[in-house]
Amino acid sequence: MESSIDTFFREVLDDRTSVASQLEEIHGLAWEVIDSALLDLCRLRVAVLLHCGSELKISNSDLDSEKIASLSEWSSSSLFSKSEKACLRFTEEFIIDVSAIPDSSAFAVRECLGEKGFVNFVNALLVVEQRIRLQIVWRKIGEEVSV
Amino acid sequence: MTRSKRVTSSHFDNKFREALSLWQEEVVQLDLVDPVTTEVVRLRCADHHDCYT
């Protein structure tokens, strides 16, 4: 089912329908290769850090509200598992400076998800992050053009 | 900061990998930005992401 964000991308990309379709395809697959609740936690953290309101309004999993409310305190909260904490740490570092993620953060995720899971996670996170950054830029441009 | 090799193989889900490749091919074929600028940006991103493919 097409989401409101898919619709947004289709409108922006206009007649570049194959690009829009490929974006929907990789986004859909990102949620298939990684546990959806885990990726949703990371997606929400990215949305908070980048101030992407449209992503904060949606849910791609059955995350409980208490966990979502505690997301900014994940490092000290007992609500989050070792695997979730490793992935959230990696996500924050990925967003701030992807070229400066320390070995310790990468190895912690690899230890929790396995090697293939780690590579799947990084690629899924890349798709989620880039989709959010594209939304931010294109919504901003749209606002400026419409003024 | 140390940044050693983190995986022995960069293989991941085949279907996902193929879809990502197709998406990237579609993006670089867009013609609103000139080819030289597109290539400079692509190479800069590849270097920043440690991507040697």
Side-chain angles (χ1 to χ4, degrees), chain A residues 83-106:
Chain A
S83 175
E84 289 168 339
K85 287 184 176 183
C87 290
L88 284 165
R89 182 180 307 282
F90 187 94
T91 297
E92 290 189 353
E93 291 166 348
F94 189 96
I95 294 305
I96 294 164
D97 185 354
V98 71
S99 67
I101 299 172
D103 281 349
S104 57
S105 299

